Amino acid sequence: MSDGFRWNEWNVEHIGEHGVSPIEAEQLVDDAAPPYPESIGEEKWRVCGQTAGGRDLQVIYVFDPEDWIYVIHARGLNDREKRRLRRRVR
């Protein structure tokens, strides 16, 4: 269990380049439904899903040394990924 999210200039700007806000990323991680979150190796975790606003996103994060969630990547899903997501969460 995490203590929350850690944001700094780098990760806010990085996900912003992909049109994702910290609020959207947090909501997606907090509301993750099975089979997410999933381990993708190297202590990284991925969540895919739909935000409250209807956007299909992917968020990748790690846990920092103090157990905060540190988002390292977030972006919208392409059409193929959206179809795969729909099949996985049925």
Side-chain angles (χ1 to χ4, degrees):
M1 188 70 164
S2 167
D3 291 326
F5 291 81
R6 191 178 115 225
W7 295 102
N8 60 22
E9 186 176 333
W10 180 85
N11 64 352
V12 170
E13 286 181 8
H14 183 68
I15 69 170
E17 290 173 5
H18 298 281
V20 180
S21 72
I23 291 170
E24 289 176 307
E26 288 185 19
Q27 184 237 331
L28 196 69
V29 172
D30 285 342
D31 296 343
Y36 300 104
E38 67 179 345
S39 173
I40 58 171
E42 299 179 28
E43 299 182 13
K44 294 178 186 174
W45 295 88
R46 175 175 44 209
V47 172
C48 294
Q50 193 170 78
T51 67
R55 293 186 65 202
D56 292 307
L57 300 178
Q58 167 181 275
V59 175
I60 297 174
Y61 61 92
V62 296
F63 289 96
D64 77 3
E66 286 141 19
D67 209 28
W68 290 83
I69 293 171
Y70 187 75
V71 174
I72 59 172
H73 186 67
R75 65 170 175 80
L77 298 178
N78 63 37
D79 289 339
R80 187 173 130 212
E81 292 167 326
K82 289 176 189 178
R83 286 190 300 272
R84 187 172 53 223
L85 173 66
R86 300 293 176 263
R87 286 192 303 267
R88 287 191 79 184
V89 296
R90 282 185 183 173

Coordinates of all heavy atoms in Angstrom, one line a residue:
M1 N 0.8 -1.2 0.0 CA 0.0 0.0 0.0 C 0.9 1.2 0.0 O 1.9 1.3 0.7 CB -0.9 0.0 1.2 CG -1.9 1.0 1.2 SD -3.2 0.7 0.0 CE -4.4 1.7 0.5
S2 N 0.5 2.2 -0.8 CA 1.3 3.4 -0.9 C 0.8 4.5 0.0 O -0.3 4.5 0.5 CB 1.1 3.9 -2.4 OG 1.6 5.2 -2.5
D3 N 1.8 5.4 0.3 CA 1.4 6.6 1.1 C 0.8 7.7 0.2 O 0.4 8.7 0.8 CB 2.7 7.2 1.8 CG 3.2 6.2 2.8 OD1 2.4 5.6 3.5 OD2 4.4 6.2 3.0
G4 N 0.8 7.5 -1.1 CA 0.2 8.5 -2.0 C 1.1 8.7 -3.2 O 1.9 7.8 -3.5
F5 N 1.0 9.8 -3.8 CA 1.8 10.1 -5.0 C 2.8 11.2 -4.8 O 2.6 12.1 -4.0 CB 0.8 10.6 -6.1 CG -0.1 9.5 -6.6 CD1 -1.3 9.2 -5.9 CD2 0.2 8.8 -7.8 CE1 -2.1 8.2 -6.4 CE2 -0.7 7.8 -8.3 CZ -1.8 7.5 -7.5
R6 N 3.9 11.0 -5.5 CA 5.0 12.0 -5.4 C 5.1 12.7 -6.8 O 5.4 12.0 -7.8 CB 6.3 11.4 -5.0 CG 7.4 12.5 -4.7 CD 8.7 11.9 -4.2 NE 9.7 12.2 -5.2 CZ 10.5 11.4 -5.8 NH1 10.6 10.2 -5.4 NH2 11.4 11.8 -6.7
W7 N 5.0 14.0 -6.8 CA 5.1 14.7 -8.1 C 6.2 15.7 -8.0 O 6.4 16.3 -7.0 CB 3.8 15.4 -8.4 CG 2.6 14.5 -8.7 CD1 1.6 14.2 -7.8 CD2 2.4 13.7 -9.8 NE1 0.8 13.2 -8.3 CE2 1.2 13.0 -9.6 CE3 3.0 13.6 -11.1 CZ2 0.7 12.1 -10.6 CZ3 2.5 12.8 -12.0 CH2 1.4 12.0 -11.8
N8 N 6.9 15.9 -9.1 CA 7.9 16.9 -9.2 C 7.8 17.5 -10.6 O 7.0 17.0 -11.4 CB 9.3 16.4 -8.8 CG 9.8 15.3 -9.7 OD1 9.3 15.1 -10.9 ND2 10.7 14.5 -9.2
E9 N 8.7 18.4 -10.9 CA 8.7 19.1 -12.2 C 8.8 18.1 -13.3 O 8.1 18.2 -14.4 CB 9.7 20.2 -12.2 CG 9.7 21.0 -13.5 CD 10.7 22.1 -13.4 OE1 11.1 22.6 -12.4 OE2 11.1 22.6 -14.6
W10 N 9.8 17.1 -13.2 CA 10.1 16.2 -14.3 C 8.8 15.4 -14.6 O 8.5 15.3 -15.8 CB 11.2 15.3 -13.9 CG 11.5 14.4 -15.1 CD1 12.3 14.6 -16.1 CD2 10.9 13.1 -15.2 NE1 12.2 13.5 -17.0 CE2 11.4 12.6 -16.5 CE3 10.1 12.3 -14.5 CZ2 11.1 11.3 -17.0 CZ3 9.7 11.0 -15.0 CH2 10.2 10.5 -16.2
N11 N 8.2 14.7 -13.6 CA 7.2 13.8 -14.0 C 5.9 14.5 -14.4 O 5.2 14.1 -15.3 CB 6.9 12.6 -13.0 CG 6.4 13.1 -11.7 OD1 6.4 14.2 -11.3 ND2 6.1 12.1 -10.9
V12 N 5.6 15.7 -13.9 CA 4.4 16.5 -14.3 C 4.6 16.9 -15.7 O 3.7 16.8 -16.6 CB 4.2 17.7 -13.3 CG1 3.2 18.6 -13.9 CG2 3.8 17.2 -12.0
E13 N 5.8 17.4 -16.1 CA 6.1 17.8 -17.5 C 6.1 16.7 -18.4 O 5.5 16.8 -19.5 CB 7.4 18.6 -17.5 CG 7.3 20.0 -17.0 CD 8.7 20.7 -17.1 OE1 9.6 20.2 -17.8 OE2 8.8 21.8 -16.5
H14 N 6.6 15.5 -18.0 CA 6.7 14.4 -18.9 C 5.3 13.9 -19.3 O 5.1 13.6 -20.4 CB 7.6 13.3 -18.2 CG 7.7 12.1 -19.1 ND1 8.5 12.1 -20.3 CD2 7.2 10.8 -19.0 CE1 8.5 10.9 -20.8 NE2 7.7 10.1 -20.1
I15 N 4.5 13.7 -18.3 CA 3.1 13.2 -18.7 C 2.3 14.2 -19.4 O 1.5 13.9 -20.2 CB 2.4 12.6 -17.5 CG1 2.0 13.6 -16.4 CG2 3.2 11.4 -16.8 CD1 1.0 13.1 -15.4
G16 N 2.6 15.5 -19.0 CA 1.9 16.6 -19.7 C 2.3 16.6 -21.2 O 1.4 17.0 -22.0
E17 N 3.5 16.2 -21.6 CA 3.8 16.1 -23.0 C 2.9 15.2 -23.7 O 2.8 15.2 -25.0 CB 5.3 15.7 -23.1 CG 6.3 16.8 -22.7 CD 7.7 16.3 -22.7 OE1 8.0 15.1 -23.1 OE2 8.6 17.1 -22.2
H18 N 2.3 14.2 -23.0 CA 1.4 13.2 -23.6 C 0.0 13.6 -23.3 O -0.9 12.8 -23.6 CB 1.8 11.9 -23.0 CG 3.1 11.4 -23.3 ND1 3.5 10.9 -24.6 CD2 4.3 11.4 -22.6 CE1 4.8 10.6 -24.6 NE2 5.3 10.9 -23.4
G19 N -0.3 14.8 -22.8 CA -1.6 15.3 -22.6 C -2.3 14.7 -21.4 O -3.5 14.7 -21.4
V20 N -1.6 14.2 -20.5 CA -2.1 13.6 -19.3 C -1.8 14.5 -18.1 O -0.7 15.0 -17.9 CB -1.6 12.2 -19.0 CG1 -2.2 11.6 -17.8 CG2 -1.8 11.3 -20.2
S21 N -2.8 14.7 -17.2 CA -2.6 15.5 -16.0 C -2.4 14.6 -14.8 O -2.7 13.4 -14.8 CB -3.9 16.3 -15.7 OG -4.9 15.5 -15.3
P22 N -1.7 15.1 -13.8 CA -1.5 14.3 -12.6 C -2.8 13.8 -12.0 O -2.9 12.7 -11.5 CB -0.8 15.3 -11.6 CG 0.0 16.2 -12.5 CD -1.0 16.4 -13.7
I23 N -3.9 14.6 -12.0 CA -5.2 14.2 -11.5 C -5.7 13.0 -12.2 O -6.2 12.0 -11.6 CB -6.2 15.3 -11.6 CG1 -5.8 16.4 -10.6 CG2 -7.6 14.8 -11.3 CD1 -6.6 17.7 -10.7
E24 N -5.6 12.9 -13.6 CA -6.0 11.8 -14.4 C -5.2 10.6 -14.0 O -5.7 9.5 -13.8 CB -5.9 12.1 -15.9 CG -6.9 13.0 -16.4 CD -6.6 13.3 -17.9 OE1 -5.5 13.7 -18.2 OE2 -7.6 13.2 -18.6
A25 N -3.8 10.7 -13.9 CA -3.0 9.6 -13.6 C -3.3 9.0 -12.2 O -3.4 7.8 -12.1 CB -1.5 10.0 -13.7
E26 N -3.5 9.9 -11.2 CA -3.8 9.4 -9.9 C -5.1 8.7 -9.9 O -5.3 7.6 -9.3 CB -3.9 10.6 -8.9 CG -2.5 11.2 -8.6 CD -2.6 12.2 -7.5 OE1 -3.6 12.3 -6.8 OE2 -1.6 13.0 -7.4
Q27 N -6.1 9.2 -10.6 CA -7.5 8.6 -10.6 C -7.4 7.2 -11.2 O -8.0 6.3 -10.7 CB -8.4 9.5 -11.3 CG -9.8 8.9 -11.3 CD -10.4 8.7 -12.7 OE1 -10.1 9.4 -13.7 NE2 -11.3 7.8 -12.8
L28 N -6.6 7.1 -12.3 CA -6.5 5.8 -13.0 C -5.9 4.8 -12.1 O -6.4 3.6 -12.0 CB -5.7 5.9 -14.3 CG -5.9 4.8 -15.2 CD1 -7.3 4.7 -15.8 CD2 -4.9 4.9 -16.4
V29 N -4.8 5.1 -11.4 CA -4.1 4.2 -10.5 C -5.0 3.9 -9.3 O -5.1 2.7 -8.9 CB -2.7 4.8 -10.1 CG1 -2.1 3.9 -9.0 CG2 -1.8 4.9 -11.3
D30 N -5.6 4.9 -8.7 CA -6.4 4.6 -7.5 C -7.7 3.7 -7.8 O -8.1 3.0 -7.0 CB -6.9 6.0 -6.9 CG -5.9 6.7 -6.2 OD1 -4.9 6.1 -5.8 OD2 -6.1 7.9 -6.0
D31 N -8.2 3.9 -9.1 CA -9.4 3.1 -9.4 C -9.1 1.9 -10.3 O -10.0 1.3 -10.9 CB -10.4 4.0 -10.2 CG -10.9 5.2 -9.4 OD1 -10.8 5.1 -8.1 OD2 -11.4 6.2 -10.0
A32 N -7.9 1.4 -10.3 CA -7.5 0.3 -11.1 C -8.3 -0.9 -10.8 O -8.6 -1.3 -9.6 CB -6.0 -0.1 -10.9
A33 N -8.8 -1.6 -11.9 CA -9.6 -2.8 -11.7 C -8.8 -4.0 -12.3 O -8.0 -3.8 -13.2 CB -10.9 -2.6 -12.5
P34 N -9.0 -5.2 -11.7 CA -8.2 -6.3 -12.2 C -8.4 -6.5 -13.8 O -9.5 -6.2 -14.3 CB -8.9 -7.5 -11.5 CG -9.5 -6.9 -10.3 CD -9.9 -5.5 -10.7
P35 N -7.3 -6.8 -14.4 CA -6.1 -7.4 -14.0 C -5.0 -6.4 -13.6 O -3.8 -6.7 -13.5 CB -5.6 -8.2 -15.2 CG -6.1 -7.4 -16.4 CD -7.4 -6.8 -15.9
Y36 N -5.4 -5.1 -13.4 CA -4.4 -4.1 -13.1 C -4.4 -3.8 -11.6 O -5.5 -4.0 -11.0 CB -4.7 -2.8 -13.9 CG -4.6 -3.1 -15.4 CD1 -5.8 -3.2 -16.1 CD2 -3.4 -3.3 -16.0 CE1 -5.7 -3.5 -17.5 CE2 -3.3 -3.5 -17.3 CZ -4.5 -3.6 -18.1 OH -4.4 -3.9 -19.4
P37 N -3.3 -3.3 -11.0 CA -2.1 -3.0 -11.7 C -1.3 -4.3 -12.0 O -1.5 -5.3 -11.3 CB -1.3 -2.2 -10.7 CG -1.9 -2.6 -9.4 CD -3.3 -2.9 -9.6
E38 N -0.5 -4.3 -13.0 CA 0.3 -5.4 -13.4 C 1.8 -5.1 -13.4 O 2.2 -4.0 -13.8 CB -0.1 -6.0 -14.8 CG 0.2 -5.1 -15.9 CD -0.2 -5.6 -17.3 OE1 -0.5 -6.9 -17.3 OE2 -0.3 -4.9 -18.2
S39 N 2.6 -6.0 -12.9 CA 4.0 -5.8 -12.9 C 4.5 -6.0 -14.4 O 4.2 -6.9 -15.1 CB 4.7 -6.9 -12.0 OG 6.1 -6.8 -12.2
I40 N 5.4 -5.0 -14.7 CA 6.0 -5.1 -16.1 C 7.5 -5.2 -16.0 O 8.2 -5.0 -16.9 CB 5.6 -3.9 -17.0 CG1 6.0 -2.6 -16.3 CG2 4.1 -4.0 -17.3 CD1 5.8 -1.4 -17.3
G41 N 8.0 -5.7 -14.8 CA 9.4 -5.9 -14.6 C 10.2 -4.7 -14.1 O 9.6 -3.6 -14.1
E42 N 11.4 -4.9 -13.6 CA 12.2 -3.9 -13.1 C 11.5 -3.0 -12.1 O 11.7 -1.8 -12.0 CB 12.8 -3.0 -14.2 CG 13.6 -3.8 -15.2 CD 14.1 -3.0 -16.4 OE1 14.3 -1.7 -16.2 OE2 14.4 -3.5 -17.4
E43 N 10.7 -3.6 -11.3 CA 9.9 -2.9 -10.2 C 9.0 -1.8 -10.7 O 8.7 -0.9 -10.0 CB 10.8 -2.4 -9.1 CG 11.6 -3.5 -8.5 CD 12.5 -3.0 -7.4 OE1 12.4 -1.9 -6.9 OE2 13.4 -3.8 -6.9
K44 N 8.5 -2.0 -12.0 CA 7.6 -1.1 -12.6 C 6.2 -1.7 -12.6 O 6.1 -2.9 -12.8 CB 8.0 -0.7 -14.0 CG 9.3 0.1 -14.1 CD 9.7 0.3 -15.6 CE 11.1 0.9 -15.7 NZ 11.5 1.1 -17.1
W45 N 5.2 -0.8 -12.5 CA 3.8 -1.3 -12.5 C 3.1 -0.5 -13.6 O 3.3 0.7 -13.8 CB 3.2 -1.0 -11.1 CG 3.8 -1.9 -10.1 CD1 4.9 -1.6 -9.4 CD2 3.5 -3.2 -9.7 NE1 5.3 -2.6 -8.5 CE2 4.4 -3.6 -8.8 CE3 2.4 -4.1 -10.1 CZ2 4.3 -4.9 -8.2 CZ3 2.3 -5.3 -9.5 CH2 3.3 -5.7 -8.6
R46 N 2.1 -1.2 -14.2 CA 1.3 -0.5 -15.3 C -0.2 -0.7 -14.9 O -0.7 -1.7 -14.4 CB 1.5 -1.2 -16.6 CG 0.6 -0.6 -17.7 CD 0.9 -1.1 -19.1 NE 1.1 -2.5 -19.1 CZ 1.9 -3.1 -20.0 NH1 2.5 -2.4 -20.9 NH2 2.1 -4.4 -20.0
V47 N -0.9 0.4 -15.2 CA -2.4 0.4 -15.1 C -2.9 1.0 -16.4 O -2.4 2.0 -16.9 CB -2.9 1.3 -13.9 CG1 -4.4 1.4 -14.0 CG2 -2.4 0.7 -12.6
C48 N -3.9 0.3 -17.0 CA -4.6 0.8 -18.2 C -6.1 0.8 -17.8 O -6.6 0.0 -17.0 CB -4.4 -0.2 -19.4 SG -2.7 -0.3 -20.0
G49 N -6.7 1.8 -18.3 CA -8.2 1.9 -18.0 C -8.7 3.3 -18.5 O -8.0 4.0 -19.3
Q50 N -9.9 3.5 -18.2 CA -10.6 4.7 -18.6 C -10.8 5.6 -17.4 O -11.2 5.2 -16.3 CB -12.0 4.3 -19.2 CG -12.6 5.4 -19.9 CD -13.8 4.9 -20.7 OE1 -14.9 4.7 -20.1 NE2 -13.7 4.8 -22.0
T51 N -10.5 6.9 -17.6 CA -10.7 7.9 -16.6 C -12.2 8.3 -16.4 O -13.0 7.9 -17.3 CB -9.9 9.2 -16.9 OG1 -10.5 9.8 -18.1 CG2 -8.5 9.0 -17.2
A52 N -12.5 9.0 -15.4 CA -13.9 9.5 -15.2 C -14.4 10.3 -16.4 O -15.5 10.3 -16.7 CB -14.0 10.2 -13.9
G53 N -13.4 11.0 -17.0 CA -13.7 11.8 -18.2 C -13.8 11.0 -19.5 O -14.1 11.6 -20.5
G54 N -13.6 9.7 -19.4 CA -13.8 8.8 -20.6 C -12.5 8.6 -21.4 O -12.6 8.1 -22.5
R55 N -11.4 9.1 -21.0 CA -10.1 8.9 -21.7 C -9.5 7.6 -21.4 O -9.4 7.2 -20.2 CB -9.1 10.0 -21.3 CG -9.6 11.4 -21.8 CD -8.5 12.4 -21.6 NE -7.3 12.1 -22.4 CZ -6.1 12.6 -22.1 NH1 -5.9 13.3 -21.1 NH2 -5.1 12.3 -22.9
D56 N -9.0 6.8 -22.4 CA -8.4 5.6 -22.2 C -6.9 5.9 -22.1 O -6.3 6.4 -23.0 CB -8.6 4.6 -23.4 CG -10.1 4.2 -23.4 OD1 -10.5 3.7 -22.4 OD2 -10.7 4.4 -24.5
L57 N -6.3 5.5 -20.9 CA -4.9 5.9 -20.6 C -4.1 4.6 -20.1 O -4.7 3.7 -19.7 CB -4.8 6.9 -19.5 CG -5.5 8.3 -19.8 CD1 -5.3 9.2 -18.5 CD2 -4.9 9.0 -21.0
Q58 N -2.8 4.8 -20.2 CA -1.9 3.9 -19.6 C -1.0 4.7 -18.6 O -0.5 5.8 -19.0 CB -1.0 3.2 -20.6 CG 0.2 2.5 -20.1 CD 1.0 1.9 -21.2 OE1 0.8 0.9 -21.6 NE2 2.1 2.7 -21.6
V59 N -0.8 4.2 -17.4 CA 0.1 4.9 -16.5 C 1.1 3.9 -16.0 O 0.7 2.8 -15.6 CB -0.7 5.5 -15.3 CG1 0.3 6.0 -14.2 CG2 -1.7 6.5 -15.7
I60 N 2.4 4.2 -16.0 CA 3.4 3.4 -15.5 C 4.1 4.1 -14.3 O 4.4 5.3 -14.4 CB 4.5 3.1 -16.6 CG1 3.8 2.3 -17.7 CG2 5.7 2.3 -16.0 CD1 4.7 2.1 -19.0
Y61 N 4.3 3.3 -13.3 CA 4.9 3.9 -12.1 C 5.8 3.0 -11.3 O 5.8 1.8 -11.6 CB 3.7 4.4 -11.1 CG 2.8 3.3 -10.6 CD1 3.1 2.7 -9.4 CD2 1.7 3.0 -11.3 CE1 2.2 1.7 -8.9 CE2 0.8 2.0 -10.9 CZ 1.1 1.4 -9.7 OH 0.3 0.4 -9.2
V62 N 6.5 3.5 -10.4 CA 7.4 2.8 -9.5 C 7.0 3.3 -8.1 O 6.4 4.3 -7.9 CB 8.9 3.0 -9.8 CG1 9.2 2.5 -11.2 CG2 9.3 4.4 -9.6
F63 N 7.5 2.5 -7.1 CA 7.4 3.0 -5.7 C 8.8 3.6 -5.3 O 9.8 2.9 -5.5 CB 7.1 1.8 -4.8 CG 5.7 1.4 -4.9 CD1 5.3 0.3 -5.7 CD2 4.6 2.0 -4.3 CE1 4.0 -0.1 -5.9 CE2 3.3 1.6 -4.4 CZ 3.0 0.5 -5.3
D64 N 8.8 4.8 -4.8 CA 10.0 5.4 -4.4 C 10.5 4.8 -3.1 O 9.7 4.0 -2.5 CB 10.0 6.9 -4.4 CG 9.2 7.5 -3.2 OD1 8.8 6.8 -2.3 OD2 9.1 8.8 -3.2
P65 N 11.7 5.2 -2.6 CA 12.2 4.6 -1.3 C 11.3 4.8 -0.1 O 11.3 4.0 0.9 CB 13.5 5.2 -1.1 CG 14.0 5.6 -2.5 CD 12.7 6.0 -3.2
E66 N 10.4 5.8 -0.1 CA 9.5 6.1 1.0 C 8.1 5.5 0.7 O 7.2 5.9 1.4 CB 9.5 7.6 1.3 CG 10.8 8.0 2.0 CD 11.2 9.4 1.5 OE1 10.4 10.1 0.9 OE2 12.4 9.7 1.6
D67 N 8.0 4.7 -0.3 CA 6.7 4.0 -0.6 C 5.7 4.9 -1.3 O 4.5 4.6 -1.2 CB 6.2 3.3 0.6 CG 5.4 2.0 0.2 OD1 5.6 1.5 -0.9 OD2 4.4 1.7 0.9
W68 N 6.1 6.0 -1.8 CA 5.2 6.9 -2.6 C 5.1 6.3 -4.0 O 6.1 5.8 -4.5 CB 5.7 8.3 -2.6 CG 5.6 9.0 -1.3 CD1 6.5 8.9 -0.3 CD2 4.6 9.9 -0.8 NE1 6.1 9.7 0.8 CE2 4.9 10.3 0.5 CE3 3.4 10.3 -1.4 CZ2 4.1 11.1 1.2 CZ3 2.6 11.2 -0.7 CH2 3.0 11.6 0.6
I69 N 4.0 6.5 -4.7 CA 3.9 6.2 -6.1 C 4.5 7.3 -6.9 O 4.1 8.5 -6.7 CB 2.4 6.0 -6.5 CG1 1.8 4.8 -5.8 CG2 2.3 5.9 -8.0 CD1 0.3 4.6 -6.0
Y70 N 5.5 6.9 -7.7 CA 6.1 7.9 -8.6 C 5.8 7.6 -10.0 O 6.3 6.6 -10.6 CB 7.6 7.9 -8.3 CG 8.4 9.0 -9.0 CD1 8.3 10.3 -8.6 CD2 9.1 8.7 -10.2 CE1 9.0 11.3 -9.3 CE2 9.8 9.7 -10.9 CZ 9.7 11.0 -10.4 OH 10.4 12.0 -11.1
V71 N 5.0 8.4 -10.7 CA 4.6 8.1 -12.1 C 5.8 8.5 -13.0 O 6.3 9.6 -12.9 CB 3.3 8.9 -12.4 CG1 3.0 8.8 -13.9 CG2 2.1 8.5 -11.6
I72 N 6.1 7.5 -13.8 CA 7.3 7.7 -14.7 C 6.8 7.9 -16.2 O 7.6 8.3 -17.0 CB 8.3 6.6 -14.6 CG1 7.8 5.3 -14.9 CG2 9.0 6.7 -13.2 CD1 8.8 4.2 -15.0
H73 N 5.6 7.5 -16.5 CA 5.0 7.6 -17.8 C 3.5 7.5 -17.8 O 3.0 6.8 -17.0 CB 5.6 6.5 -18.7 CG 5.3 6.6 -20.1 ND1 5.8 7.6 -20.9 CD2 4.5 5.9 -20.9 CE1 5.3 7.5 -22.2 NE2 4.5 6.4 -22.2
A74 N 2.9 8.3 -18.7 CA 1.4 8.2 -18.9 C 1.1 8.7 -20.3 O 1.7 9.7 -20.7 CB 0.7 9.0 -17.8
R75 N 0.2 8.0 -20.9 CA -0.2 8.4 -22.3 C -1.6 7.8 -22.6 O -2.0 6.9 -21.9 CB 0.8 8.0 -23.3 CG 0.9 6.5 -23.4 CD 1.8 6.1 -24.6 NE 2.0 4.6 -24.6 CZ 1.2 3.7 -25.1 NH1 0.0 4.1 -25.5 NH2 1.5 2.5 -25.1
G76 N -2.1 8.4 -23.7 CA -3.4 7.8 -24.2 C -3.1 6.5 -24.9 O -2.0 6.2 -25.3
L77 N -4.1 5.6 -24.9 CA -4.0 4.3 -25.6 C -4.3 4.5 -27.1 O -5.2 5.3 -27.5 CB -5.0 3.3 -25.0 CG -4.8 3.0 -23.5 CD1 -5.8 2.0 -23.1 CD2 -3.4 2.4 -23.3
N78 N -3.6 3.7 -27.9 CA -4.0 3.7 -29.4 C -5.2 2.8 -29.6 O -5.6 2.1 -28.6 CB -2.8 3.4 -30.2 CG -2.2 2.0 -30.0 OD1 -3.0 1.0 -29.8 ND2 -0.9 1.9 -30.1
D79 N -5.7 2.7 -30.8 CA -6.9 1.9 -31.0 C -6.7 0.4 -30.7 O -7.6 -0.2 -30.1 CB -7.4 2.1 -32.5 CG -8.0 3.5 -32.7 OD1 -8.4 4.1 -31.8 OD2 -8.0 3.9 -33.9
R80 N -5.6 -0.1 -31.1 CA -5.3 -1.5 -30.8 C -5.2 -1.8 -29.3 O -5.8 -2.8 -28.8 CB -4.0 -1.9 -31.5 CG -3.7 -3.4 -31.4 CD -2.4 -3.7 -32.2 NE -1.6 -4.5 -31.3 CZ -0.3 -4.5 -31.4 NH1 0.4 -3.8 -32.2 NH2 0.4 -5.2 -30.5
E81 N -4.6 -0.9 -28.6 CA -4.5 -1.1 -27.1 C -5.9 -0.9 -26.5 O -6.2 -1.6 -25.5 CB -3.6 0.0 -26.5 CG -2.1 -0.2 -26.9 CD -1.2 0.9 -26.6 OE1 -1.7 2.1 -26.7 OE2 -0.1 0.7 -26.2
K82 N -6.7 -0.1 -27.0 CA -8.1 0.1 -26.5 C -8.9 -1.2 -26.7 O -9.6 -1.6 -25.7 CB -8.8 1.2 -27.2 CG -8.3 2.6 -26.8 CD -9.0 3.6 -27.6 CE -8.4 5.0 -27.4 NZ -9.1 6.0 -28.3
R83 N -8.8 -1.8 -27.8 CA -9.5 -3.1 -28.1 C -8.9 -4.2 -27.1 O -9.7 -4.9 -26.5 CB -9.3 -3.6 -29.5 CG -10.1 -2.8 -30.5 CD -10.1 -3.4 -31.9 NE -8.8 -3.5 -32.5 CZ -8.2 -2.5 -33.2 NH1 -8.8 -1.4 -33.4 NH2 -6.9 -2.7 -33.7
R84 N -7.6 -4.2 -26.9 CA -7.1 -5.2 -26.0 C -7.5 -5.0 -24.6 O -7.9 -5.9 -23.8 CB -5.5 -5.2 -26.1 CG -4.9 -6.3 -25.3 CD -3.4 -6.4 -25.5 NE -2.7 -5.1 -25.3 CZ -1.8 -4.6 -26.1 NH1 -1.4 -5.3 -27.2 NH2 -1.2 -3.5 -25.8
L85 N -7.6 -3.7 -24.2 CA -8.1 -3.4 -22.8 C -9.5 -3.9 -22.6 O -9.9 -4.4 -21.6 CB -8.0 -1.9 -22.6 CG -8.6 -1.3 -21.3 CD1 -7.9 -1.8 -20.1 CD2 -8.7 0.2 -21.4
R86 N -10.4 -3.6 -23.6 CA -11.8 -4.0 -23.5 C -11.9 -5.5 -23.3 O -12.7 -6.0 -22.6 CB -12.6 -3.6 -24.7 CG -12.6 -2.1 -25.0 CD -13.4 -1.4 -23.9 NE -13.3 0.1 -24.2 CZ -12.5 0.9 -23.6 NH1 -11.6 0.4 -22.7 NH2 -12.5 2.2 -23.9
R87 N -11.0 -6.3 -24.0 CA -11.1 -7.8 -23.9 C -10.6 -8.2 -22.5 O -11.1 -9.2 -21.9 CB -10.2 -8.4 -25.0 CG -10.8 -8.4 -26.3 CD -10.1 -9.3 -27.3 NE -8.7 -9.0 -27.4 CZ -8.2 -8.2 -28.4 NH1 -8.9 -7.6 -29.2 NH2 -6.9 -8.0 -28.4
R88 N -9.6 -7.5 -21.9 CA -9.0 -7.9 -20.7 C -9.9 -7.6 -19.5 O -9.8 -8.3 -18.5 CB -7.6 -7.2 -20.5 CG -6.6 -7.8 -21.4 CD -5.2 -7.3 -21.0 NE -4.8 -8.0 -19.8 CZ -3.6 -7.7 -19.2 NH1 -2.9 -6.7 -19.5 NH2 -3.3 -8.4 -18.1
V89 N -10.6 -6.6 -19.5 CA -11.4 -6.2 -18.3 C -12.9 -6.6 -18.3 O -13.6 -6.2 -17.5 CB -11.3 -4.6 -18.0 CG1 -9.9 -4.2 -17.8 CG2 -11.9 -3.8 -19.2
R90 N -13.2 -7.4 -19.3 CA -14.6 -7.9 -19.3 C -14.9 -8.8 -18.2 O -14.3 -9.5 -17.6 CB -14.8 -8.7 -20.6 CG -15.0 -7.8 -21.8 CD -15.4 -8.6 -23.0 NE -15.4 -7.7 -24.1 CZ -15.6 -8.1 -25.3 NH1 -15.7 -9.3 -25.6 NH2 -15.7 -7.2 -26.3

